[in-house]
Amino acid sequence: MPSLKPRNGQETLELVHGLVPGSTTRARMRPGFPSLFTAPHTTNVCFNQTEIFGAPYTEVSMVLNMQCSNPLDHETTAADLAQELINGKRVKGTYRPRRLFVNWPYLHDAILVGVSDANGVYTIDAQGTNIIHINRSDPASHSHWKGKYTGAIYALKSHAAIDLSDTPQLLLHVLPLRSMKLYPDGSLMRDYGFPVNTHHSRSTTPWADVAVWDELGVVSTLAGMASFDLNGSWVNNPRFSEHEPLPIEKALPLKERVFFLARTPLYGSPGKVIGHSGDSAGNANGVDVQLLINTNERAAKGENFLGVNVLNHYHQAGYERYRPSYVVARELGITSLVLSRVTSKMLLLDAHASGKEARIHAGLDLKFEGKRLKVVGYTKRGANGWMYSDRAAELVWKYKQDFPLLFRELSANSDKSDMPDVREALLTRDQRSGSPKDVDNLVKAEVKRLKTWLNTNASRSVLVQVPIESDLLSREQIDSIAAERNAHHALHTSKAIVRNVRRDAVLRPADVFHRLMQQTLKVGHRVVFVADRDSSVPLGAKGYIVGIHARRSESPSTDRHSSRP
C-alpha cells in the first residue's frame, strides 16, 4: 500500500473537512464540468420516454425545459443573431469571431462562425466587418436543414431529457477550442480551428464554404444549448488562460534546459541557457545557450537522413512492393477469392471428429477484415481492397506447392462459403477410398504436417499483426537501420556556445504541447524526444520512427542526453 507523507512543510497529516480552498461549485464550475446553474431552465415531471440503456423509460421522468437567455429571445431570427458574429476581436492580426460556450451543461469553449435557419446561413468575411448571407431556400436545402434540426431536438429530448421547444429554431455553427497556441514572441493564445490535417484555401475565409463545414470540423449545435454570457466565472478558465509575452529573463531563466531549433546543422541539439543578450538600450532580446553537439558534422547530417535513405533503398530494390489481390492471384494461378480465403483465418471441417478437433486451422492469417488487422511486410489495405507484398505472394506460392490438393479443393468449390472438408482438402480420391481406419490415420498425418508447416512458415512470432491504419517497418528494415547507424555513425560530442539566440529558436520541454502539435512524422524520420513528462523515454533520447499508430509513435532510442551539458 502507498504511504501518505506530509507535504509543504507540514509535520503531520490533517483531514480537510468539506471542500478544499479554491474549489468551485454550482454556477462557478469550470468549463467541461456539468452544472445546471449556468443557464435558466425549469423542470417538469412527465411521460417523456427517455431512453435508458437503449430502451424508452415507460414511467414518468424529470425533463429540463430550457429558457431563452441573452442574446436569445422567442423572436430571435438568424439575421438578428448574426450580428453577434461581428462582436469579435483581433488576435495577432487575425480576426477572431464572437466567443461563446456550447453543449450546455458542460459549456465547452468555442467561437461563432455561422448562424443558420431553414432559409439560409449567415457567416462573416475574414476581416470581421461584413455579414455574408448564403440563401438556401430551395426545397431540398430546406428539407435537409429541417431534418438536421428536428433530429437534434429529438435526440436531445429522448437521450438527455432536455426540451428546447421554447427556444428559437436556429443552428449555431462553431469552431471548438483546439489547443493553446504559443506565438514566436512568447504570447500564449487560445487556438480555435479545424483539425490539423484539414486543408483549405488560404485566399478565402475557411468557413465561408458551408458545403464542406462538416468535413472541416465546424460543429453544428442548437442555439438553446449555447451561452453567450462572458461574465460568468466559467469564462476565466485557468487551464486555458491567455497571456502576453513574458520578459525573456523570466521565460528562459538561467540553467533552463532547451533544444536548439535554428535551421543549422545544430538543429535539435540539447543545451541550457547560460546568459541573456541585450540591445544597445540594455533590454534583453536573446539568450546565450550551451549546446551538446556532434563534432563530426558530416556524420551528424548523414545520421539525420539514414532512416529515410535505408527505406528508399528497400523501395528501389523492390523489397516492399505491394500489388492488388487480382494481380497476385493471376500470377499464382488461383482466383482472387481463393487468395482471400487462404490469407485470412480459414478452417477445415472434420466431420468424423468432435469438439475442438472438428475444426482445423488452415489459413495463413495475413489479413483480418473484421478486426481491421494486417501483417507488417505482407499485407495492407488500399483504397480499392487488400494489397499483397512479394513476400506474401512467395509464402502463398510455397503453400500451394506443398499442399496442392487444398488449393484444388478451394478452387473447385470457390462458390461455396462452407468450411471445406478436411478429407477432400488433404487426401486424394484413392486415399479416401481406403478403410475407415486407414483414412483416419492418413488424415491425422496430413493434419500434423499442415500444422507443422504453418508453425514453421506462418508463426505468430514472424507474422506481426497490427491495425490497418498503422504504418510500421518490418523487422528486417529496423535491423538494417540499426546496423547502418552502428557501423558508420559513431558519436563524438563536445560543448559549443551560441550567443544571442532568438526566443523562438529554442524549445523548452514545457512548451512542447503548444509548439509541436502540428508536426508531421513519418516512418524513418530521425527524432529527438523533447518532452519532460508523461513518458518513460529519457529527455533528449534520439532515434528513428519505426511505427506510427493512431495515437502514438514508436521510436527505438539510440543515445541519451540525461544530464545537462
Side-chain angles (χ1 to χ4, degrees):
M1 295 291 292
S3 60
L4 299 178
K5 297 180 180 180
R7 301 177 63 183
N8 300 328
Q10 298 178 356
E11 296 182 358
T12 59
L13 292 173
E14 297 181 359
L15 177 65
V16 177
H17 296 276
L19 299 175
V20 299
S23 300
T24 57
T25 59
R26 293 179 176 263
R28 298 196 301 268
M29 294 289 286
R30 300 300 183 190
F33 297 93
S35 175
L36 300 181
F37 296 89
T38 53
H41 65 276
T42 59
T43 59
N44 183 29
V45 178
C46 60
F47 290 95
N48 186 58
Q49 291 190 336
T50 306
E51 289 191 10
I52 300 177
F53 299 111
Y57 186 58
T58 57
E59 302 296 330
V60 295
S61 59
M62 180 176 291
V63 178
L64 302 179
N65 300 296
M66 297 298 300
Q67 299 176 351
C68 296
S69 59
N70 183 46
L72 299 173
D73 57 43
H74 296 283
E75 305 299 330
T76 301
T77 64
D80 298 331
L81 191 56
Q83 296 300 319
E84 292 293 326
L85 287 169
I86 64 175
N87 293 332
K89 64 178 182 178
R90 290 201 163 271
V91 177
K92 298 298 177 182
T94 304
Y95 174 74
R96 178 191 289 178
R98 172 66 185 269
R99 186 184 180 197
L100 74 164
F101 294 85
V102 297
N103 297 336
W104 184 87
Y106 295 94
L107 296 183
H108 293 148
D109 205 337
I111 55 174
L112 181 66
V113 298
V115 183
S116 67
D117 56 15
N119 297 320
V121 181
Y122 291 86
T123 183
I124 197 170
D125 59 13
Q127 290 72 33
T129 56
N130 299 314
I131 300 295
I132 303 173
H133 179 233
I134 304 175
N135 189 0
R136 295 206 166 180
S137 57
D138 58 284
S141 299
H142 186 281
S143 177
H144 175 75
W145 187 93
K146 197 68 176 178
K148 194 172 185 178
Y149 175 81
T150 55
I153 290 289
Y154 174 79
L156 198 62
K157 188 173 183 181
S158 60
H159 296 163
I162 298 178
D163 186 6
L164 295 178
S165 58
D166 292 336
T167 59
Q169 295 189 10
L170 302 173
L171 284 178
L172 306 181
H173 306 282
V174 302
L175 285 176
L177 177 63
R178 177 172 56 183
S179 63
M180 299 297 294
K181 184 176 181 180
L182 187 66
Y183 285 85
D185 62 356
S187 58
L188 186 66
M189 299 294 172
R190 287 184 293 270
D191 183 24
Y192 304 86
F194 310 108
V196 176
N197 58 354
T198 299
H199 302 281
H200 53 76
S201 174
R202 296 183 179 180
S203 60
T204 60
T205 306
W207 54 81
D209 189 0
V210 184
V212 296
W213 271 5
D214 293 337
E215 299 177 7
L216 292 177
V218 178
V219 179
S220 299
T221 183
L222 296 164
M225 299 298 291
S227 173
F228 289 84
D229 185 7
L230 298 184
N231 297 317
S233 60
W234 60 84
V235 175
N236 299 319
N237 188 351
R239 296 177 298 167
F240 306 109
S241 59
E242 299 178 321
H243 65 73
E244 294 299 323
L246 297 175
I248 197 168
E249 299 92 336
K250 293 184 178 181
L252 295 169
L254 296 178
K255 297 184 179 181
E256 179 76 17
R257 291 182 296 180
V258 294
F259 290 88
F260 196 61
L261 297 185
R263 296 292 179 178
T264 68
L266 304 181
Y267 182 87
S269 299
K272 67 178 181 181
V273 177
I274 60 174
H276 300 90
S277 302
D279 54 18
S280 57
N283 300 319
N285 55 11
V287 293
D288 302 332
V289 295
Q290 184 184 72
L291 302 177
L292 185 66
I293 65 172
N294 189 348
T295 56
N296 189 340
E297 182 177 331
R298 182 177 180 181
K301 184 176 180 180
E303 190 177 61
N304 292 336
F305 297 97
L306 186 147
V308 176
N309 293 336
V310 169
L311 295 185
N312 289 337
H313 171 71
Y314 266 81
H315 293 312
Q316 293 173 2
Y319 295 137
E320 293 297 325
R321 181 180 60 167
Y322 285 85
R323 292 172 296 168
S325 59
Y326 67 90
V327 176
V328 176
R330 184 170 61 245
E331 290 185 356
L332 296 175
I334 58 178
T335 64
S336 298
L337 181 58
V338 172
L339 177 63
S340 177
R341 295 187 67 178
V342 168
T343 54
S344 59
K345 189 175 182 63
M346 183 180 65
L347 298 176
L348 301 180
L349 178 63
D350 187 355
H352 297 269
S354 60
K356 295 182 179 179
E357 297 180 355
R359 297 185 178 185
I360 302 165
H361 180 254
L364 295 176
D365 291 347
L366 299 182
K367 65 182 185 66
F368 300 87
E369 184 71 42
K371 297 180 180 179
R372 297 191 63 79
L373 296 176
K374 66 180 181 180
V375 173
V376 179
Y378 288 82
T379 56
K380 68 178 182 180
R381 193 70 163 82
N384 298 319
W386 284 95
M387 304 182 70
Y388 298 85
S389 66
D390 293 343
R391 186 182 307 173
E394 182 179 352
L395 180 61
V396 176
W397 172 259
K398 185 177 181 181
Y399 196 14
K400 181 184 177 183
Q401 293 298 108
D402 292 341
F403 295 91
L405 295 178
L406 174 60
F407 281 78
R408 189 181 306 168
E409 175 66 18
L410 293 175
S411 299
N413 300 279
S414 59
D415 57 334
K416 296 182 180 180
S417 59
D418 299 336
M419 288 184 290
D421 184 79
V422 64
R423 284 167 167 73
E424 296 181 357
L426 299 180
L427 301 181
T428 64
R429 182 178 300 178
D430 294 339
Q431 291 174 330
R432 295 196 302 268
S433 62
S435 64
K437 184 176 181 180
D438 293 339
V439 173
D440 290 341
N441 292 334
L442 289 173
V443 169
K444 291 180 181 179
E446 285 297 307
V447 169
K448 182 178 180 180
R449 186 170 73 93
L450 176 63
K451 292 182 177 180
T452 302
W453 192 96
L454 291 176
N455 290 334
T456 303
N457 298 277
S459 64
R460 281 303 237 354
S461 60
V462 176
L463 305 180
V464 181
Q465 300 172 5
V466 298
I468 290 178
E469 296 81 8
S470 301
D471 187 9
L472 283 82
L473 300 183
S474 63
R475 174 53 58 184
E476 292 81 0
Q477 291 174 323
I478 297 175
D479 293 342
S480 298
I481 293 176
E484 183 70 17
R485 197 262 175 191
N486 294 333
H488 302 287
H489 299 280
L491 182 62
H492 303 283
T493 60
S494 65
K495 297 178 182 179
I497 296 178
V498 182
R499 301 191 181 278
N500 198 19
V501 181
R502 303 189 319 272
R503 183 199 300 252
D504 60 329
V506 293
L507 173 67
R508 295 193 313 144
D511 297 335
V512 166
F513 298 99
H514 299 313
R515 298 184 61 179
L516 301 183
M517 292 297 292
Q518 298 186 9
Q519 68 175 349
T520 301
L521 298 176
K522 295 182 179 180
V523 290
H525 281 183
R526 176 71 165 169
V527 293
V528 55
F529 196 81
V530 294
D532 59 353
R533 63 180 187 268
D534 299 335
S535 177
S536 59
V537 181
L539 180 67
K542 295 181 179 180
Y544 297 93
I545 297 293
V546 300
I548 297 180
H549 302 284
R551 295 183 180 272
R552 67 179 187 274
S553 300
E554 296 180 357
S555 175
S557 175
T558 56
D559 59 74
R560 297 184 178 184
H561 169 61
S562 301
S563 59
R564 296 179 179 178

